[in-house]
Amino acid sequence: LDVIELYRYWQAHGRLGSLTELMEFSCNNLIREVERKAKHDLLPLERAMEGVETLAAASLLTRRVNFRIEDDRDISAASAVIIRDVLPAPWPSDQQKAILDRALFDGASYGMLRFHHRRHAEYLAAKWLLRLLSNNCPYTDIEEVLFAEVDGCWTIRLSLEPVAAWLEGEALDVQRLLFT
């Protein structure tokens, strides 16, 4: 975590928190921060959180770290996530643009944006999976996302190990997914 976020947490709480508490605090702050060029924030915090969680999950599941800026038509879609294709409906185009103005993302480069820290994306993807579970998504569906059967044995997908660790940190027994 950035030292500034650690200091902000200390100021707000008068103590150091767990890694999960620090990450939640950091993500909430960064979601609230909008680039100065965005004069009007079009997204309520809850809607912005839903959007960044979904984008984080899409990035990790597709193994594409970049998000294409819709205005740049010259950039190949094969190398980037197209946000209109992954955000849940309905997401108006002005809100799609507004989500990328959050401080969670690095500045645009070559028509692309990406999460500033991979750890934020991993944490937010875990939050996305928890949201799915809380909306009655079957455990077996989550199991198919996190695990693969290799030579008759279930094994965690290496690219999703950090996401599973965040789920474990959220008191979700990931092993239970294997046997339910």
Side-chain angles (χ1 to χ4, degrees):
L1 293 174
D2 291 331
V3 174
I4 294 170
E5 285 300 310
L6 188 60
Y7 178 69
R8 287 180 183 169
Y9 187 91
W10 179 269
Q11 283 183 313
H13 300 282
R15 64 178 180 83
L16 294 179
S18 69
L19 185 56
T20 300
E21 289 170 327
L22 293 168
M23 188 60 65
E24 182 75 17
F25 182 81
S26 176
C27 286
N28 283 335
N29 284 341
L30 293 171
I31 289 169
R32 285 185 183 98
E33 289 181 30
V34 179
E35 283 190 25
R36 291 180 185 150
K37 68 180 181 179
K39 295 178 182 177
H40 303 291
D41 187 9
L42 304 171
L43 287 171
L45 181 60
E46 187 173 314
R47 179 86 162 155
M49 182 61 85
E50 175 189 15
V52 296
E53 288 172 1
T54 303
L55 292 176
S59 176
L60 291 172
L61 293 173
T62 63
R63 296 183 185 184
R64 295 178 183 168
V65 297
N66 294 314
F67 299 97
R68 190 175 93 190
I69 299 170
E70 285 300 316
D71 296 342
D72 198 334
R73 310 241 189 288
D74 297 332
I75 303 298
S76 168
S79 64
V81 173
I82 300 171
I83 64 169
R84 75 168 180 273
D85 293 344
V86 297
L87 289 174
W91 269 82
S93 61
D94 57 347
Q95 288 187 356
Q96 291 176 26
K97 291 176 186 174
I99 195 98
L100 295 176
D101 286 332
R102 304 296 159 165
L104 276 167
F105 299 98
D106 282 337
S109 177
Y110 300 107
M112 309 272 193
L113 290 172
R114 64 174 50 186
F115 279 97
H116 182 66
H117 290 293
R118 181 173 175 84
R119 186 176 281 178
H120 286 137
E122 293 162 349
Y123 174 75
L124 291 166
K127 298 276 288 181
W128 178 78
L129 288 171
L130 288 171
R131 187 165 32 93
L132 290 179
L133 287 170
S134 70
N135 289 325
N136 299 318
C137 178
Y139 284 112
T140 54
D141 290 354
I142 304 300
E143 175 185 80
E144 289 177 17
V145 170
L146 294 174
F147 300 95
E149 190 173 351
V150 178
D151 297 327
C153 296
W154 285 100
T155 184
I156 191 160
R157 297 177 196 275
L158 292 177
S159 62
L160 297 176
E161 279 182 342
V163 176
W166 282 114
L167 290 172
E168 187 68 29
E170 292 288 326
L172 176 67
D173 183 7
V174 176
Q175 292 298 318
R176 184 176 60 189
L177 297 175
L178 291 172
F179 304 109
T180 57

